[in-house]
Amino acid sequence: MTVTAQDIPGRNCIALILDDQPCLADGMVNHPEEAILLLAHSDPYLLRKAMDGVRIEYEPQAPCFFD
């Protein structure tokens, strides 16, 4: 089973400090530790096989700094 942001009913949001942290990235990844998807399987071998099949491509964006 693969779960992405589109599978989350309601708001894709966790109240970390404010209600501004997505449960799963949706369209843009805000930081290196942000979750993109969840994988689950009852068979550890098949889960590893699924993990090996995942390829994530990032398009670098210009940094945004605030004063």
Side-chain angles (χ1 to χ4, degrees), residues 44-64:
Y45 172 77
L46 292 176
L47 177 59
R48 174 53 62 185
K49 193 171 181 178
M51 290 169 60
D52 291 341
V54 172
R55 297 288 178 257
I56 306 294
E57 293 185 21
Y58 294 97
E59 183 178 314
Q61 301 290 314
C64 179

Side-chain angles (χ1 to χ4, degrees), residues 2-67:
T2 302
V3 178
T4 65
Q6 287 73 36
D7 298 310
I8 297 173
R11 291 186 61 212
N12 176 24
C13 186
I14 296 174
L16 191 56
I17 295 173
L18 302 171
D19 285 342
D20 62 351
Q21 179 63 43
C23 297
L24 295 173
D26 188 15
M28 180 184 291
V29 176
N30 297 301
H31 57 82
E33 303 302 321
E34 191 166 65
I36 298 171
L37 61 91
L38 304 173
L39 291 175
H41 200 288
S42 59
D43 182 326
Y45 172 77
L46 292 176
L47 177 59
R48 174 53 62 185
K49 193 171 181 178
M51 290 169 60
D52 291 341
V54 172
R55 297 288 178 257
I56 306 294
E57 293 185 21
Y58 294 97
E59 183 178 314
Q61 301 290 314
C64 179
F65 299 103
F66 296 96
D67 289 329

